[in-house]
Amino acid sequence: MSTTRTTTLRRAGVVAALATAGVFAGAGVASAHVTVHPESYAKGATDGVLTFRVPNEEDTASTTKVQVFLPTDHPVLGVLVSPRDGWTAKVTNTKLKTPVKTDDGTITDAVSEITWTGGKIGAGQFEDFDVAFGQLPDNADQLTFKTLQTYSDGKTVRWIEEAQPGADEPENPAPVLKLTAKGADGSASSDGSGSATKVSASGAAASATASSSDSTARGLGIAGLVVGVLGLAAAAFAVTRTRSAGSRAE
């Protein structure tokens, strides 16, 4: 009976461990896309920072080039690129089909592409690229930043697919920034995830990263705890059944 009980506990432990590993593995896959942080800003927000997070998904190659394309139908105005050690940024401007009128005058051109080269993102690593802006559009619900990621072996991953309502997430989704309604007072400020405050690029990136990491850690911790408790409960139930069976046999 002792051997049977030990075997039952081991099997229950293995099931719980595999289930927990599956939770973490799933989380790792889900976070492997190129993303933009924060996930939302208020429409018309001013003087903010966008952080493009680029993870390396290849085991035998490094990311050596990143191209982010900014929309020109709803342009982001006053774009400035924060320096990144080891990387050189090239900014491309495009003449707008429809000029944008602002308090400072009419804007006829805007940044349409930013290309980072010269650096390297190794296997199992990621890099954050910070971009400051002067003003976001107030006539759109979201902004899509199509991105190309080039590896040292020549492979290019095109993060350009847009999610469709009611459909599954595409294999290579483009980073998307949600634009929320302005505050009740008409200001461009929203909640903490998209507040239009004047902060440094590094500070905003660190804040967004810490918030995202904390939320992910709490979620994964709770999921792992629940799986572990269920595994122990299953083991206890199995032991009780084993004991009962042994008693009846005696």
Side-chain angles (χ1 to χ4, degrees):
M1 182 170 63
S2 176
T3 301
T4 302
R5 187 185 309 163
T6 301
T7 301
T8 302
L9 285 171
R10 285 178 178 173
R11 287 178 178 173
V14 169
V15 171
L18 290 175
T20 304
V23 171
F24 282 88
V29 171
S31 62
H33 304 325
V34 175
T35 51
V36 60
H37 303 275
E39 296 180 352
S40 67
Y41 258 110
K43 295 181 179 181
T46 58
D47 300 317
V49 176
L50 298 175
T51 298
F52 294 93
R53 174 160 295 179
V54 183
N56 189 89
E57 295 185 312
E58 296 293 322
D59 295 329
T60 59
S62 300
T63 296
T64 56
K65 182 179 180 180
V66 177
Q67 296 168 269
V68 175
F69 297 88
L70 284 68
T72 55
D73 52 346
H74 299 289
V76 178
L77 306 180
V79 170
L80 295 174
V81 180
S82 177
R84 177 62 60 188
D85 290 343
W87 295 86
T88 299
K90 177 184 177 181
V91 178
T92 300
N93 286 275
T94 296
K95 192 173 186 62
L96 300 176
K97 292 182 178 180
T98 304
V100 179
K101 294 182 178 180
T102 70
D103 294 339
D104 298 323
T106 300
I107 306 298
T108 58
D109 62 278
V111 174
S112 59
E113 178 185 346
I114 305 174
T115 301
W116 286 273
T117 56
K120 182 176 68 174
I121 307 174
Q125 300 178 340
F126 71 89
E127 188 76 76
D128 283 344
F129 298 93
D130 298 328
V131 177
F133 64 82
Q135 183 176 332
L136 295 178
D138 59 5
N139 57 350
D141 294 324
Q142 66 179 34
L143 298 178
T144 300
F145 300 94
K146 295 182 178 181
T147 303
L148 302 184
Q149 180 179 10
T150 302
Y151 288 90
S152 55
D153 60 2
K155 176 182 177 180
T156 297
V157 179
R158 300 169 61 83
W159 302 100
I160 62 173
E161 299 175 6
E162 299 185 43
Q164 300 300 322
D168 294 334
E169 182 183 46
E171 183 178 356
N172 296 313
V176 174
L177 176 71
K178 300 292 185 181
L179 297 180
T180 61
K182 295 182 179 181
D185 59 355
S187 67
S189 297
S190 62
D191 56 20
S193 64
S195 58
T197 54
K198 294 185 178 181
V199 294
S200 66
S202 58
S207 177
T209 301
S211 177
S212 176
S213 299
D214 289 346
S215 298
T216 301
R218 284 195 295 270
L220 291 178
I222 292 172
L225 180 60
V226 170
V227 171
V229 170
L230 291 176
L232 291 175
F237 177 70
V239 171
T240 301
R241 290 190 59 187
T242 302
R243 286 178 176 175
S244 299
S247 298
R248 289 195 296 271
E250 292 174 359

